[in-house]
């Protein structure tokens, strides 16, 4: 789960990190009221969407007065902001963050994430932070350093020193930076985060260290431990079909192709997507119905796949282990009738009671194309959608 910049900053502040003062706003009026309260010489207005690259796309504005601020707020609210992270359709701006401006002397990059390969926590840092960090990573990766630390409740001073080393700060700023790193680490551990990214972390002209941007992603598998974080979820930022799928305990990710897939098991789902591509077509989704797919679950899965207008055919690929193929076939038949499927449906069943399952499909009166194995299934569905 991801949260907005203003929420991430509030959370970091709670754990002791230094962030600029600011207020989240949902209307132009609110922006003006809160601006009057903050009473600043200049204002920073930032579009709140779950994507970076806002600065380059016009989503971060520095305004000199309330008239310009009002204009900028009107312009940004409701706008579809297209950044290099949103995809071509962009994301609609539904909330803004009004913030005090910082006097930037230097921009750094700092992030903290889980390094699964080494089972450690990695801190990534660079003195070339800011809006071009992707370019730096591509062209001059030596400018980016990674420090891996062993998991524990606190981060050691010696590790902090290694992380801040290439920022080349004076003693005073170094200490401030180490304190921020400790706060970030505390936030990371306490909230079961999978990523905290501060880009830019800045050195101000007043020699302070401030988190000027913040992104936090949480581990979905641990979110049940943090009901207070779940309240920060913004469903506007999530794909509606993926939200619907999660209600039915289906693992669904929408993709751009034309062949809908319904599969049990994540590995089999990956293999099914691969073999569709091998035969020259693109999958419309990843969908794992899980081990114990009931009729209700299969029906919900059909509805979700069919709600994607790009889908021209569906491939069902089931390996019956604990799940019996005859029970599943019954579910497919009932769900297919209920949802009145009118696009080609290819089904491959293998494993427990697969013969009984095929018989149910054959006798259902539905136009279901049966396949003998995975390759055969992929060929058949690809032929159908062509
Ligand atoms: P994004 O990463 O989505 O482009 P950022 O929050 O990093 O958005 O902002 C982009 C740039 O805008 C920053 O690198 C910084 O130069 C400037 N900026 C952002 N917030 C402030 C602020 N409060 N005061 C001054 N400049 C800011
Ligand atoms: Mg940024």
């Amino acid at each position: 789960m991801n949260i907005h910049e203003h929420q991430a900053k509030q959370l970091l502040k709670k754990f002791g990190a230094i962030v600029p003062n600011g207020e989240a706003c949902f209307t132009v009026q609110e922006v003006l009221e809160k601006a009057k309260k903050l009473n600043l010489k200049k204002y920073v207005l930032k579009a709140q969407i779950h994507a970076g690259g806002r600065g380059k796309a016009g989503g971060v504005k520095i305004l000199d007065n309330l008239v310009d601020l009002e204009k900028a707020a009107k312009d940004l609210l409701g706008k579809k902001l297209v950044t290099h992270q949103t995809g071509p359709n962009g994301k609609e701006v539904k909330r803004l963050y009004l913030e005090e401006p910082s006097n930037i002397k230097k921009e750094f990059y700092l992030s903290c994430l889980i390094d699964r390969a080494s089972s450690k926590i990695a801190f990534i840092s660079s003195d070339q932070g800011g809006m071009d960090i992707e370019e730096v990573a591509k062209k001059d990766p030596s400018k980016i350093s990674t420090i891996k630390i062993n998991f524990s409740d606190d981060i050691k001073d010696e590790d902090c020193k290694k992380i801040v080393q290439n920022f080349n700060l004076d003693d005073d700023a170094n200490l401030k930076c180490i304190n921020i790193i400790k706060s970030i680490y505390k936030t990371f551990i306490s909230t079961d985060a999978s990523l905290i990214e501060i880009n830019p972390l800045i050195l101000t002209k007043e020699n302070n260290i401030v988190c000027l941007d913040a992104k936090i992603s949480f581990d979905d598998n641990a979110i049940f431990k943090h009901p207070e974080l779940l309240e920060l979820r913004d469903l506007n930022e999530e794909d509606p079909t993926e939200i619907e799928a999660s209600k039915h305990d289906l693992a669904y990710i929408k993709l751009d192709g034309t062949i809908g897939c319904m599969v049990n098991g994540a590995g089999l789902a990956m293999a099914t997507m691969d073999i569709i591509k091998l035969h020259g077509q693109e999958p419309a989704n990843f969908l794992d119905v899980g081990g114990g797919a009931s009729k209700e679950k299969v029906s919900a899965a059909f509805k979700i796949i069919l709600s994607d207008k790009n889908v021209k055919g569906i491939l069902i690929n089931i390996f019956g282990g604990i799940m019996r193929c005859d029970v599943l076939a019954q579910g497919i038949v009932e769900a297919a009738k209920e949802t009145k499927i009118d696009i080609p449906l290819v089904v491959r069943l293998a494993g427990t009671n697969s013969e009984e399952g095929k018989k149910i499909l054959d006798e259902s009166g539905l136009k279901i194309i049966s396949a003998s194995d995975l390759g055969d299934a992929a060929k058949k569905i690809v032929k159908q959608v062509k």
Side-chain angles (χ1 to χ4, degrees):
M1 187 185 96
N2 296 323
I3 56 175
H4 286 288
E5 174 199 1
H6 73 94
Q7 297 166 325
K9 282 178 167 167
Q10 258 357 80
L11 202 57
L12 286 162
K13 189 178 172 183
K14 216 179 95 190
F15 286 95
I18 308 297
V19 301
N21 284 325
E23 296 268 5
C25 309
F26 294 82
T27 62
V28 177
Q29 172 129 17
E30 212 183 334
V31 170
L32 291 174
E33 278 166 14
K34 289 184 170 162
K36 280 173 197 156
K37 244 196 258 158
L38 286 170
N39 190 24
L40 302 165
K41 287 206 184 81
K42 285 187 183 194
Y43 300 91
V44 181
L45 198 60
K46 306 179 80 171
Q48 297 296 289
I49 52 171
H50 285 189
R54 296 162 303 163
K56 284 193 171 164
V60 178
K61 297 203 152 94
I62 300 183
L63 297 318
D64 289 327
N65 53 56
L66 290 175
V67 177
D68 290 352
L69 180 66
E70 180 173 8
K71 238 169 81 194
K74 275 185 185 154
D75 178 46
L76 279 176
L77 272 177
K79 183 177 173 166
K80 280 233 159 134
L81 202 60
V82 182
T83 82
H84 64 83
Q85 286 186 5
T86 59
N89 292 333
K91 282 200 156 181
E92 190 182 333
V93 181
K94 294 197 165 156
R95 67 174 88 179
L96 298 169
Y97 191 42
L98 176 68
E99 194 175 55
E100 64 181 7
S102 292
N103 294 316
I104 304 171
K105 188 167 174 193
K106 183 115 188 55
E107 300 198 343
F108 306 113
Y109 176 91
L110 180 68
S111 65
C112 176
L113 55 132
I114 291 167
D115 182 56
R116 292 177 202 283
S118 62
S119 307
K120 287 178 192 261
I121 294 175
F123 270 91
I124 298 174
S125 64
S126 171
D127 65 344
Q128 309 281 307
M131 294 192 281
D132 288 318
I133 190 69
E134 283 89 355
E135 284 298 300
V136 177
K138 252 188 254 160
K139 290 191 181 140
D140 200 355
S142 67
K143 288 266 169 9
I144 295 174
S145 89
T146 304
I147 306 289
K148 291 177 190 169
I149 59 175
N150 287 324
F151 177 88
S152 81
D153 285 343
D154 293 302
I155 182 167
K156 291 197 200 91
D157 277 328
E158 58 191 76
D159 286 323
C160 292
K161 281 180 191 151
K162 282 187 210 153
I163 296 162
V164 299
Q165 200 164 27
N166 47 11
F167 292 166
N168 280 315
L169 301 165
D170 65 22
D171 287 351
D172 172 53
N174 229 5
L175 200 63
K176 287 170 176 163
C177 197
I178 286 174
N179 283 334
I180 285 198
I181 288 170
K182 286 181 180 169
S183 302
I184 290 171
Y185 188 79
K186 266 240 136 53
T187 314
F188 191 86
I189 299 292
S190 312
T191 62
D192 289 298
S194 52
L195 168 77
I196 297 184
E197 184 182 60
I198 312 297
N199 185 34
L201 174 77
I202 59 158
L203 172 68
T204 67
K205 290 181 179 150
E206 300 81 15
N207 215 43
N208 289 320
I209 302 285
V210 179
C211 303
L212 207 58
D213 189 9
K215 171 181 176 163
I216 304 184
S217 304
F218 302 105
D219 180 350
D220 289 342
N221 293 313
I223 205 84
F224 73 94
K225 292 199 270 176
H226 308 284
E228 76 290 355
L229 296 178
L230 213 45
E231 279 171 26
L232 303 177
R233 188 174 176 191
D234 183 358
L235 293 178
N236 283 321
E237 294 288 332
E238 295 177 28
D239 187 296
T241 47
E242 288 176 17
I243 297 169
E244 181 63 23
S246 71
K247 283 187 201 154
H248 300 279
D249 206 16
L250 297 162
Y252 171 87
I253 310 284
K254 190 185 163 347
L255 301 167
D256 297 328
T258 54
I259 297 179
C261 307
M262 194 191 304
V263 188
N264 67 328
L268 194 58
M270 297 297 278
T272 305
M273 286 165 35
D274 280 348
I275 204 155
I276 288 171
K277 278 172 174 274
L278 186 70
H279 287 89
Q281 285 289 320
E282 294 290 324
N285 63 275
F286 169 98
L287 195 156
D288 175 8
V289 292
S294 59
K295 187 208 128 202
E296 286 72 28
K297 230 172 156 179
V298 174
S299 177
F302 266 129
K303 283 180 194 153
I304 287 163
I305 293 176
L306 290 170
S307 71
D308 176 354
K309 295 297 160 230
N310 291 333
V311 171
K312 296 203 168 65
I314 298 177
L315 169 56
I316 298 183
N317 185 18
I318 298 292
F319 180 79
I322 296 169
M323 176 148 79
R324 282 163 39 197
C325 290
D326 55 329
V327 174
L328 187 103
Q330 198 58 48
I332 293 173
V333 170
E334 286 174 34
K337 284 183 179 163
E338 193 189 317
T339 50
K340 299 191 178 66
I341 287 190
D342 57 357
I343 54 172
L345 185 59
V346 172
V347 182
R348 178 248 178 175
L349 296 176
T352 313
N353 289 3
S354 59
E355 287 310 316
E356 289 86 337
K358 277 178 203 144
K359 198 159 162 254
I360 291 169
L361 295 180
D362 290 344
E363 290 170 358
S364 68
L366 288 164
K367 257 181 69 190
I368 294 173
I369 303 160
S370 199
S372 55
D373 58 40
L374 192 44
D376 182 44
K379 266 185 224 149
K380 280 179 173 158
I381 192 66
V382 166
K383 192 171 155 219
Q384 288 294 320
V385 300
K386 264 194 177 158

